[in-house]
Amino acid sequence: QVQLVESGGGLVQAGGSLRLSCAASGRTFSSYYMGWFRQAPGKEREFVATISWTGTNTPYADSVKGRFTISRDNAKNTLYLQMNSLKPEDTAVYYCAAGSRLPTDSPHEYAYWGQGTQVTVTS
């Protein structure tokens, strides 16, 4: 069993920054890709970024390239998403995901999900 718990969301003005964390339990944290997804009201879940177990492969969605940085600390079983230059369009519930064997943008390939943390960016 793997449990993921996101934190760090909140309310921020456009142009500001937030750092999301995802604490993982279980001993398979470093064995597979982990990722971040987001979902706005009335919209389907959207890929944000994913990261390999070594941190050397980090594909990003085009919408966040240059602004967001995904990282992981395997010793702490923690995934991070540093979000800079935030825009109102970034407003969504952000979900941590784990368990994919590929750096895929498909949520169906991730076996484990957190409960989500709300990020609201005001204009």
Side-chain angles (χ1 to χ4, degrees), residues 57-92:
N57 189 17
T58 56
Y60 295 89
D62 289 340
S63 59
V64 306
K65 285 181 180 177
R67 300 188 299 120
F68 291 10
T69 302
I70 188 171
S71 61
R72 65 193 296 171
D73 186 336
N74 292 339
K76 297 175 63 176
N77 283 348
T78 303
L79 179 73
Y80 303 98
L81 184 68
Q82 178 66 47
M83 305 185 294
N84 298 326
S85 302
L86 283 163
K87 306 174 181 179
E89 64 192 70
D90 295 318
T91 295

Side-chain angles (χ1 to χ4, degrees), residues 17-117:
S17 298
L18 284 174
R19 178 176 162 93
L20 305 184
S21 298
C22 172
S25 62
R27 291 188 285 272
T28 62
F29 180 82
S30 63
S31 298
Y32 299 97
Y33 283 84
M34 298 186 70
W36 289 98
F37 291 76
R38 65 188 183 185
Q39 188 166 23
K43 305 291 179 60
E44 65 181 4
R45 192 161 298 187
E46 176 189 28
F47 169 77
V48 176
T50 188
I51 185 170
S52 65
W53 58 90
T54 63
T56 57
N57 189 17
T58 56
Y60 295 89
D62 289 340
S63 59
V64 306
K65 285 181 180 177
R67 300 188 299 120
F68 291 10
T69 302
I70 188 171
S71 61
R72 65 193 296 171
D73 186 336
N74 292 339
K76 297 175 63 176
N77 283 348
T78 303
L79 179 73
Y80 303 98
L81 184 68
Q82 178 66 47
M83 305 185 294
N84 298 326
S85 302
L86 283 163
K87 306 174 181 179
E89 64 192 70
D90 295 318
T91 295
V93 176
Y94 283 71
Y95 295 93
C96 174
S100 176
R101 291 179 289 183
L102 295 170
T104 179
D105 62 355
S106 173
H108 302 291
E109 298 298 327
Y110 295 86
Y112 308 103
W113 293 86
Q115 84 291 339
T117 185

